[in-house]
Every structure is written in structure tokens, then in C-alpha cells.
Amino acid sequence: AQKVTQAQTEISVVEKEDVTLDCVYETRDTTYYLFWYKQPPSGELVFLIRRNSFDEQNEISGRYSWNFQKSTSSFNFTITASQVVDSAVYFCALTVLLTGGGNKLTFGTGTQLKVEL
Amino acid sequence: GAVVSQHPSWVICKSGTSVKIECRSLDFQATTMFWYRQFPKQSLMLMATSNEGSKATYEQGVEKDKFLINHASLTLSTLTVTSAHPEDSSFYICSAGNPTGSNQPQHFGDGTRLSIL
């Protein structure tokens, strides 16, 4: 069975601060995929990143960066110079071996990020 | 643009009513779709896997007779909440993967907010 833990329930920062959202996962599979999604108050899920278990390279996309470390089973997400528009719930998720038809995701409990002026 | 369309986005109805939610893949054929439920301030929990042309696979604790799933075509899955009661009020969201795009993320619909009075 898979499990995703997001220990931070809520984080509040002031605009322009950097913030890191933690994600720790558990799986016995050697091939798996990790995701981060953003859920704004409107409810839709916005895809941010997908990373497979064989690619431990860190990734940067604008103000977003991700640190994947298999040794600690962590896939942390950092927002640099946070903005009010970053306020949302962020979910980390895990699936094992994507098949042609897609695969079900196991979600963490989410981290509510509040960015204030 | 959206690749998974979900309709309706918001439903308010009386207790005892049956409600149908549609999930359509717009740009690809999806042999498998997934239905999730999210209670306020909680994570997304997988309810069932919808399989085109066959019976859905339900997660433990989800009543198959209450949440009817039909996946009659490669682009449409429906979830019917039968005889809905206030405790069924929740945010329901579907997802689908692209069989020909193995590097693509799981795509989510925008969700349906169901309120049972």
C-alpha cells in the first residue's frame, strides 16, 4: 500500500518570503511517480509537476522548485518569493507504475498555504 | 485548455434525489477514469475506478449500489449518487489519463460541488 504524508497542515508567510512544503511518501514499489497539485479556493486541481522514481534531478520552474530525495523518501516543494496568488492548498500525490490508461493517485492530506501582504 | 470536462459544476437538491455527474475526456480516449471525493478541508479520497465496457472497481467502504458508475464510451464516465442524503454532500472530482501520452500527468475535471438539503 502507498502512503503520502504532508505533516504541515497550514503555513502562513508574508509575501516575498520563501516557503517549503514537505512531502514524505511510502511505497514498496521500485517504480513510482510523484506529483504536486495546487487547489485554489475554486476547487480545481492544477497540475504542477510529475517526477518518476528514477529521476532524482531537482527541478526548477520559475519560482517553483522541487527536491526529490529517495534516500529520505521525500519530495519537497519550494516557492521562492511567494505571492498572494500562491495561496491555495497544495497536495502531494503518489502512483505506482503508470499504465496506458492512467493510474489512481494516493494523495497526502494537503498543506494550506496562506500568503499575506 | 481543459482536457477533462466535468458537469455539472454545482448541484443543490433535496434529500432522496438521485444526481448524475458526467466526466468527459475531450482530447483523448480514456479506457480508465477515476472518481474521487473530497470533504471540506480534507484530502481527495479515491472512490472507484471506472473501466470502459466493464464494471467499476470500488474502493473499500464505498457503496457500489449508492454510487453507480457507468463508463459506456471511451470519452464518458458518469457517477450517479442514488437517493442522496445530506451526508453525501461533498466535492466530487474525476480524472483520466491519456493512453497515448505516457508522459502526461493525470488530468482532472474541475469538480462538482454537491449539496443535499
Side-chain angles (χ1 to χ4, degrees), chain A residues 51-69:
Chain A
R51 177 52 51 86
N52 73 58
S53 54
F54 300 109
D55 181 4
E56 285 194 73
Q57 275 193 329
N58 291 331
E59 182 160 338
I60 298 175
S61 176
R63 295 186 297 109
Y64 297 167
S65 62
W66 291 269
N67 185 338
F68 176 31
Q69 294 199 353

Side-chain angles (χ1 to χ4, degrees), chain B residues 17-92:
Chain B
T17 306
S18 292
V19 178
K20 180 185 284 188
I21 303 170
E22 294 185 348
C23 181
R24 294 181 184 273
S25 58
L26 300 180
D27 301 324
F28 59 94
Q29 295 181 326
T31 55
T32 307
M33 292 185 179
F34 304 92
W35 288 97
Y36 295 82
R37 179 169 56 185
Q38 183 183 30
F39 290 108
K41 297 189 182 299
Q42 294 189 24
S43 187
L44 287 84
M45 300 298 295
L46 180 69
M47 297 176 65
T49 302
S50 175
N51 305 299
E52 188 269 334
S54 64
K55 291 183 179 180
T57 305
Y58 290 82
E59 296 299 302
Q60 192 173 11
V62 178
E63 300 176 57
K64 60 180 67 177
D65 293 331
K66 177 136 185 90
F67 298 99
L68 300 179
I69 291 173
N70 185 287
H71 196 152
S73 78
L74 286 170
T75 58
L76 174 64
S77 174
T78 60
L79 168 67
T80 301
V81 184
T82 61
S83 187
H85 292 285
E87 58 267 27
D88 299 322
S89 298
S90 187
F91 185 63
Y92 294 86

Side-chain angles (χ1 to χ4, degrees), chain A residues 35 37 39 41-45 47 50 91 98 100-110 112, chain B residues 31-32 34 36 38 42-44 46 49 59 91 93 97-99 102-106 108 110 113:
Chain A
F35 300 79
Y37 285 89
Q39 187 178 42
S42 51
E44 74 274 18
L45 284 176
F47 167 79
R50 185 189 89 160
F91 289 99
L98 281 173
N103 239 355
K104 58 185 180 182
L105 298 177
T106 298
F107 284 86
T109 50
Q112 170 78 61
Chain B
T31 55
T32 307
F34 304 92
Y36 295 82
Q38 183 183 30
Q42 294 189 24
S43 187
L44 287 84
L46 180 69
T49 302
E59 296 299 302
F91 185 63
I93 191 164
N98 184 346
S102 60
N103 290 321
Q104 297 302 312
Q106 197 79 317
F108 284 84
D110 286 344
R113 294 192 186 279

Side-chain angles (χ1 to χ4, degrees), chain A residues 74-90:
Chain A
S74 65
F75 187 42
N76 297 337
F77 172 34
T78 297
I79 301 175
T80 303
S82 60
Q83 300 175 2
V84 173
V85 294
D86 295 328
S87 296
V89 180
Y90 291 85

